[in-house]
Amino acid sequence: MESPFSLKDKLILVTGASSGIGRHIAIVLSKAGAKLVITGRDNARLEETFSQLNGAEHEKITCDLTSAQDRDILISQLSKLNGVVHTAGVLEIKPVKFIDEDDLQNINSVNYSAPVLLSQALLENKLLLPKSSIVFITSIAANIGAVGFGIYSGSKGALTSFARVLALETAPQKIRVNCIAPGMVKTPMFDITTDSLSEEALSENEKLYPLGFVTPSDVANGVLFLLADASEKVTGITLTIDGGLSIS
């Protein structure tokens, strides 16, 4: 009997797969038997991810999901999907009094508008099979205030709210929609947020995480669960993976 955690023969689209969490998620899903379509804006880095995937029959499509033209090209090349993982995201730390309109547009276009519009296109073109699963990578920043994270937190909060509505609208087709909200994850984005901290300050920050900082593997394993048949009755939730930060 096939394990309920297996992704064998499932076709999964992973956005933002050229680096960080997205890359690690793609690699883990390929090891679980999934056939992947990976996307990212940087072709060289996307190729690096592609070379690390387990198995065959994977595809890579270089595209910028903030571009309507690129989204259309991606949609035109996709077969019917069993799952989608939206991992593409950007971070800029800036106190509210220094925010300008360009900052807001740059963050929201990647973190919110792109996954929303891609989801719309997938539904309109009937590319999501019944019983498929959509996973959005959000952040605990959507619920926990942190100085300088105003735009980022807002974009992730909006995406979380959107996912709940999408879960209701797709439930008649048995399509599941969930979010994963990681805490601090050790990726290049982690370096951006901590490069101004001393080793002592970073050590103090880590103490806020009873189980330690989150790793890309922690997030990838959560994604695996939400894509697999093991979670067939789970929809509209946010799975928090934060090493205990939110309860400390």
Side-chain angles (χ1 to χ4, degrees):
M1 179 181 292
E2 198 74 57
S3 166
F5 293 94
S6 171
L7 297 182
K8 184 180 179 182
D9 297 329
K10 290 184 183 290
L11 181 60
I12 310 294
L13 170 65
V14 181
T15 74
S18 55
S19 64
I21 294 175
R23 170 177 291 174
H24 203 86
I25 287 171
I27 293 168
V28 168
L29 299 185
S30 72
K31 290 178 179 178
K35 293 185 290 185
L36 300 178
V37 179
I38 61 172
T39 73
R41 291 188 286 189
D42 187 309
N43 184 64
R45 292 193 298 174
L46 191 64
E47 176 61 38
E48 187 176 343
T49 300
F50 191 78
S51 69
Q52 296 180 55
L53 298 180
N54 189 70
E57 299 185 68
H58 306 301
E59 297 179 63
K60 66 178 181 71
I61 303 173
T62 303
C63 65
D64 179 353
L65 293 178
T66 66
S67 162
Q69 181 178 8
D70 278 19
R71 288 196 302 272
D72 289 344
I73 292 171
L74 173 63
I75 290 295
S76 71
Q77 296 183 58
L78 291 175
S79 301
K80 292 187 182 293
L81 300 167
N82 300 104
V84 184
V85 189
H86 297 272
T87 78
V90 293
L91 170 66
E92 182 171 1
I93 303 173
K94 184 178 287 189
V96 172
K97 67 180 179 180
F98 297 122
I99 289 171
D100 60 31
E101 190 170 349
D102 286 343
D103 295 327
L104 193 62
Q105 174 63 27
N106 291 339
I107 295 293
N108 283 338
S109 64
V110 177
N111 291 1
Y112 180 69
S113 298
V116 168
L117 292 171
L118 178 57
S119 297
Q120 183 278 330
L122 291 171
L123 291 172
E124 183 180 29
N125 289 276
K126 299 180 180 179
L127 287 171
L128 293 168
L129 290 166
K131 296 188 177 181
S132 59
S133 174
I134 302 171
V135 181
F136 295 97
I137 304 300
T138 59
S139 172
I140 58 165
N143 298 309
I144 297 177
V147 173
F149 280 73
I151 305 177
Y152 180 78
S153 296
S155 68
K156 293 299 188 178
L159 190 59
T160 301
S161 297
F162 170 77
R164 288 196 292 266
V165 173
L166 186 60
L168 283 173
E169 294 187 3
T170 57
Q173 291 79 47
K174 305 301 181 185
I175 295 173
R176 297 174 286 117
V177 183
N178 296 288
C179 297
I180 288 184
M184 191 86 76
V185 185
K186 291 189 173 182
T187 65
M189 194 175 288
F190 173 90
D191 296 333
I192 293 173
T193 60
T194 61
D195 63 2
S196 62
L197 298 178
S198 66
E199 287 190 18
E200 182 180 358
L202 187 59
S203 177
E204 287 300 312
N205 186 268
E206 187 166 14
K207 290 177 182 177
L208 299 174
Y209 291 74
L211 299 180
F213 287 138
V214 181
T215 69
S217 292
D218 297 324
V219 180
N221 288 336
V223 171
L224 175 59
F225 167 68
L226 291 176
L227 290 174
D229 293 342
S231 61
E232 66 178 356
K233 292 297 189 295
V234 180
T235 196
I237 69 150
T238 294
L239 175 60
T240 299
I241 303 178
D242 68 351
L245 172 65
S246 55
I247 60 169
S248 62

